[in-house]
């Protein structure tokens, strides 16, 4: 079965979420009277995933995961409206730092030049993830954007990949998954029947990975590439 589509992760793959988050929190903390220390930044980062995981599992709303993160970080409570207002301050600084990786647009053009379709599969929310693509100039280079909101299931559940492929009208064996998280974007994708490539920018991933990339510009080196 020949390759017809490339299904890309967003945060950490096309979009530099960590750099934007770090810059955002360092700019935001002084505005709420807190020092922007390395320790504070690390603690804010560490609190992201546990509450996002609860949202992806469907046990809390997207807004509530933000509130719980703030409660844990600040060690205080407040009304939903108060917490939403505080988090909005962080978001303004985070969004001001949004950038695509410098190889993202080139890779998407390379996919199109190879006669392949491109789509995004992300564990983020539909509104925010589409906004990232729009703001970074990538929205015109990708097709569908599959999210937890639309699919009803998140990576690393292989069903997220199966549902994305069904919605896209492609068989799993016709799709290459590309992402920076080996467990979520590679192992889970293969379990669903897709081909997969690990984007390992820092070079700390499994050395025995058959398709390991240091840049998205290396996509054509994958054995399945047409």
């Amino acid at each position: 079965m020949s390759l017809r589509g490339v299904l890309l992760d967003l945060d950490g793959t096309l979009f530099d979420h960590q750099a934007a988050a770090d810059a955002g929190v360092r700019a935001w903390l002084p505005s709420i009277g807190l020092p922007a220390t390395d320790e504070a930044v690390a603690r804010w980062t560490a609190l992201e995933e546990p509450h996002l995981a609860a949202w992806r599992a469907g046990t809390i709303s997207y807004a509530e995961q933000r509130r719980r993160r703030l409660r844990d970080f600040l060690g205080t409570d407040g009304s939903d409206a108060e917490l939403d207002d505080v988090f909005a301050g962080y978001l303004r600084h985070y969004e001001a730092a949004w950038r695509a990786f410098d190889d993202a647009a080139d890779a998407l053009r390379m996919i199109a030049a190879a006669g392949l379709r491109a789509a995004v599969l992300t564990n983020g929310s539909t509104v925010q993830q589409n906004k990232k693509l729009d703001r970074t100039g990538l929205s015109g280079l990708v097709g569908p954007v599959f999210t937890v909101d639309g699919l009803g299931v998140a990576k690393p559940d292989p069903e997220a990949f199966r549902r994305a492929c069904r919605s896209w009208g492609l068989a799993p064996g016709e799709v290459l998954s590309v992402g920076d998280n080996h467990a979520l974007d590679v192992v889970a994708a293969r379990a669903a029947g897709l081909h997969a490539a690990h984007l390992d920018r820092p070079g700390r991933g499994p050395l025995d990975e058959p398709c390991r990339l240091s840049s998205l510009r290396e996509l054509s080196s994958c054995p399945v590439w047409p």
Side-chain angles (χ1 to χ4, degrees):
M1 192 176 292
S2 60
L3 189 67
R4 296 180 60 197
V6 181
L7 189 61
L8 299 116
D9 174 54
L10 183 57
D11 293 339
T13 300
L14 294 172
F15 171 80
D16 195 348
H17 165 70
Q18 195 57 58
D22 287 354
V25 71
R26 287 185 187 279
W28 168 65
L29 286 172
S31 75
I32 59 171
L34 295 175
T37 63
D38 290 347
E39 180 184 6
V41 172
R43 193 157 57 88
W44 178 252
T45 300
L47 287 169
E48 179 178 33
E49 181 54 31
H51 298 302
L52 279 175
W55 165 67
R56 290 195 298 267
T59 59
I60 59 174
S61 69
Y62 195 70
E64 181 59 23
Q65 63 85 18
R66 290 175 168 177
R67 295 172 192 139
R68 293 186 181 187
R69 185 181 182 189
L70 264 182
R71 290 187 186 105
D72 287 351
F73 182 74
L74 297 175
T76 187
D77 208 344
S79 69
D80 287 355
E82 289 169 337
L83 292 168
D84 291 346
D85 185 61
V86 174
F87 202 94
Y90 162 70
L91 281 179
R92 285 191 291 272
H93 293 290
Y94 171 56
E95 292 183 10
W98 280 0
R99 299 289 186 276
F101 283 107
D102 62 7
D103 56 1
D106 288 347
L108 292 170
R109 293 187 186 101
M110 181 173 66
I111 291 167
L116 303 174
R117 295 155 63 182
V120 167
L121 173 60
T122 169
N123 277 349
S125 71
T126 299
V127 172
Q128 187 179 63
Q129 301 303 73
N130 277 288
K131 188 175 179 180
K132 288 174 183 176
L133 290 166
D134 288 341
R135 287 269 300 275
T136 57
L138 298 179
S139 58
L141 300 174
V142 297
V145 179
F146 302 110
T147 70
V148 181
D149 300 330
L151 297 176
V153 64
K155 298 182 284 186
D157 190 330
E159 185 61 20
F161 293 89
R162 297 189 193 103
R163 292 183 187 182
C165 288
R166 283 199 295 271
S167 296
W168 206 9
L170 298 179
E174 297 176 316
V175 178
L176 172 66
S177 169
V178 181
D180 66 299
N181 189 305
H182 194 261
L184 271 62
D185 302 314
V186 178
V187 176
R190 287 181 180 143
L194 286 73
H195 304 281
H198 183 210
L199 177 61
D200 185 18
R201 296 184 193 277
R204 296 193 294 264
L207 297 178
D208 60 350
E209 168 55 45
C211 189
R212 184 166 168 253
L213 315 173
S214 62
S215 166
L216 287 173
R217 295 187 181 94
E218 299 172 2
L219 266 175
S220 60
S221 68
C222 288
V224 71
W225 196 260

